[in-house]
């Protein structure tokens, strides 16, 4: 059975398409990688065509289409409940009262607007819509490494289908719903609103705020946020004043409140207070859910769980034995989750199984050779590519690698990656400058699994989340000494722990570098210019390599050295 999952209708971001064949995820691509527009929200026509091509099938082969997010009509009961809450809070906050009356009629008219339907050969295929947070939950649970074990499934993001989170119990290949959270209390949207206030792009640059937080003092901003928060009731988490923020995070109704809260505090202190607030609030709530569900393992999805420091705190909670964060935790993973859920609804159950994350466009010998020849550049095919690249890295060179299937999700995991030695902390300034980036968190390291515990003592082999760079760890003294460029000012790093069976070519390069230097780790940063998506094709890799002025490019089995041209 072939299921095509689609996220991309109306105002969703990270439009994407995924293909599931007999319950196995075989392809997934976000529309941004096709159009080269970061976080593209357009209908994913290009992504649909690409995943069909990757899977080697046609539109006619698709049995059913899974659409992420409910129809507007099916959203109406959730919206009605939300409006009742706004009306109640409007008695305390005049702006909420104005909002209620201004948008009261719209909640009826919006339900009549149809969503875009698949076209062409897909137009007559059966279609099922899957709720936003159900899709997030399914993406994490059915791709998790915990098999038949009973686990807790938690989703948290900004908002989707007028909710910002959900809780489920996963067992025996099925999910049972526990609760949903109204987006009026969205810590995710609060984080985005403050990201906007600090001069960054909401929904895209929250990671910059996370990095900035380590440089500040959480007080008094933490206390200011807590004064508007009721931690004992997550159905009424925000008071009337703070509720204005998730309703309109980047419009005056929300920005006025954020500006008032932030006052004249430094952006470092604002970021620190926001991050500590996020960690404290969510960790306390997660621990409560773990107790209620009577589980020790968690699978997590939703954009809030792109916050790697939060994930470290959750992993350390008493009673939490292990976590798995879906590699495409944001809305780019909804297409996958919708496809999984439709498959399960039609077949009754699906045993969770960890699969590959290299699910995108392939760069191989044939298309790499064609791109290099068309670019008119000199290149070579080393007899021992890994050894040659390991030596370049040991000599202090910066090497990009574009080979094999493109990664699934926002993290570069070796196939669309830029590598460099970690011994010089100043690389975070000069390499970011090459890519026209502004970051406050250092580059992440990739490390051989055999040496991971030596550099990150809290890491354990069964912590699969570390393979996908979704959690930070405290760095050891030897890590601070040997890879200081990858260690943040708070003493943490966000490693990708690599095994040879996961990516032999990438692993072998790192192994050769280690044989020369004795250091089992190099920097791994995504292969893209600032505000551009990660490169997809061989042609894009060549353009980005030349624009950044790097030293060498591994393209399939070939090596393109900048100095030779």
């Amino acid at each position: 059975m072939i299921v095509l999952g689609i996220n991309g209708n109306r105002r969703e971001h990270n439009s994407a398409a995924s293909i599931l064949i007999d319950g196995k995820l075989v392809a997934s691509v976000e529309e941004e990688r096709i159009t080269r527009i970061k976080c593209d929200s357009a209908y994913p026509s290009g992504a649909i065509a690409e995943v069909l091509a990757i899977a080697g099938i046609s539109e006619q082969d698709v049995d059913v289409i899974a659409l992420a997010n409910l129809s507007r009509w099916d959203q109406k009961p959730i919206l009605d409940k939300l409006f009742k809450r706004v009306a109640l809070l409007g008695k305390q906050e005049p702006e909420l009262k104005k909002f209620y009356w201004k948008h009261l009629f719209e909640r009826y008219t919006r339900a009549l607007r149809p969503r875009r339907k698949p076209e062409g050969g897909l137009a007559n295929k059966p279609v099922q819509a899957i709720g936003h947070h159900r899709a997030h939950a399914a993406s994490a649970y059915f791709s998790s490494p915990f098999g038949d074990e009973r686990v807790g499934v938690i989703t948290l993001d900004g908002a989707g289908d007028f909710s910002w989170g959900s809780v489920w119990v996963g067992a025996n290949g099925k999910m049972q719903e526990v609760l949903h959270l109204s987006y009026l209390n969205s810590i995710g949207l609060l984080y985005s609103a403050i990201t906007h206030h600090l001069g960054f792009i909401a929904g895209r640059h929250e990671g910059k705020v996370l990095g900035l937080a380590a440089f500040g003092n959480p007080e008094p901003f933490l206390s200011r946020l807590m004064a508007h928060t009721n931690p004992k009731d997550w159905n009424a988490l925000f008071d009337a004043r703070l509720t204005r923020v998730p309703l309109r995070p980047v419009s005056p109704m929300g920005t006025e409140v954020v500006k008032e809260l932030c006052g004249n505090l430094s952006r470092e202190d604002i970021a620190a207070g926001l991050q500590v607030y996020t960690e404290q609030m969510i960790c306390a709530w997660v621990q409560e859910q773990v107790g209620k569900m009577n589980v020790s393992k968690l699978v997590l999805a939703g954009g809030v769980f792109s916050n790697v420091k939060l994930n470290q705190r959750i992993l350390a909670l008493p009673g939490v034995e292990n976590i798995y964060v879906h590699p495409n935790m944001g809305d780019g993973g909804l297409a996958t989750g919708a496809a999984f859920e439709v498959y399960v609804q039609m077949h009754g159950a699906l045993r969770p199984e960890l699969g590959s994350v290299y699910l995108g466009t392939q760069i191989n010998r044939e298309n790499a050779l064609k791109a290099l020849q068309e670019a008119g550049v000199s290149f070579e095919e080393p007899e021992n590519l890994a050894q040659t690249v390991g030596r370049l890295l040991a000599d202090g060179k910066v090497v990009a690698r574009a080979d094999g299937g493109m990664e699934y999700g926002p993290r570069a995991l070796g196939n669309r990656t830029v590598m460099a030695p970690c011994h010089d902390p100043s690389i975070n300034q000069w390499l970011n400058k090459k890519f026209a980036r502004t970051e406050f968190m250092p580059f992440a390291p990739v490390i051989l699994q055999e040496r991971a515990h030596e550099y990150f003592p809290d890491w354990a082999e069964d912590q699969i989340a570390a393979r996908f760079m979704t959690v930070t760890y405290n760095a050891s003294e030897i890590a601070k000494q040997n890879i200081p460029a990858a260690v943040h000012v708070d003493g943490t790093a966000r490693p990708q722990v690599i095994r040879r069976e996961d990516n032999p070519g990438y692993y072998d390069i790192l192994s050769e570098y280690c044989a020369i230097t004795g250091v089992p780790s190099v920097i791994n940063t995504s292969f893209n210019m600032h505000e551009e998506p990660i490169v997809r094709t061989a042609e894009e890799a060549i353009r980005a390599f030349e624009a950044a002025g790097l030293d060498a490019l591994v393209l399939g089995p070939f090596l393109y050295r900048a100095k030779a041209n």
Side-chain angles (χ1 to χ4, degrees), residues 153-156 164-167 179-181 187 231 233-235 237 279-293 305 317:
V153 185
I154 297 178
T155 73
L156 293 174
W164 82 281
S166 66
V167 177
L179 62 84
H180 269 70
L181 298 170
I187 294 175
D233 185 0
W234 271 50
N235 290 316
L237 186 64
E279 292 174 13
Q280 289 184 357
M281 292 298 301
I282 292 177
C283 283
W285 176 78
V286 166
Q287 189 153 26
E288 180 184 349
Q289 300 308 313
V290 167
K292 288 180 177 179
M293 290 186 286
F305 295 116
L317 288 174

Side-chain angles (χ1 to χ4, degrees), residues 205-217:
H205 290 164
E206 284 77 4
K208 295 180 187 291
V209 178
L210 168 60
L212 188 62
F215 296 93
N217 186 333

Side-chain angles (χ1 to χ4, degrees), residues 139-159:
S139 73
Y141 174 59
F142 294 110
S143 68
S144 71
F146 301 133
D148 295 324
E149 295 183 70
R150 189 174 187 274
V151 299
V153 185
I154 297 178
T155 73
L156 293 174
D157 61 10

Side-chain angles (χ1 to χ4, degrees), residues 14-18 25 27-33 38-39 306 324-334 336 356-361 405-417 468-470 494 526-528 532-535:
N14 296 94
S15 297
S18 298
L25 182 62
S28 187
V29 173
E30 292 185 39
E31 186 70 5
E32 67 162 24
R33 307 292 174 93
K38 189 74 172 173
C39 299
S306 63
Y324 167 75
V325 183
H326 187 58
N328 202 351
M329 70 292 288
D331 284 3
L334 290 174
T336 294
S356 172
V357 289
Y358 303 107
L359 296 165
T361 304
M406 181 177 63
E407 294 89 340
Y408 170 65
R411 313 290 191 220
L413 298 170
N415 284 4
R416 302 293 188 274
T417 279
F468 310 117
M469 212 182 284
T470 54
R494 179 187 49 153
S526 58
F527 191 7
N528 62 286
E532 287 186 4
I534 292 173
V535 300

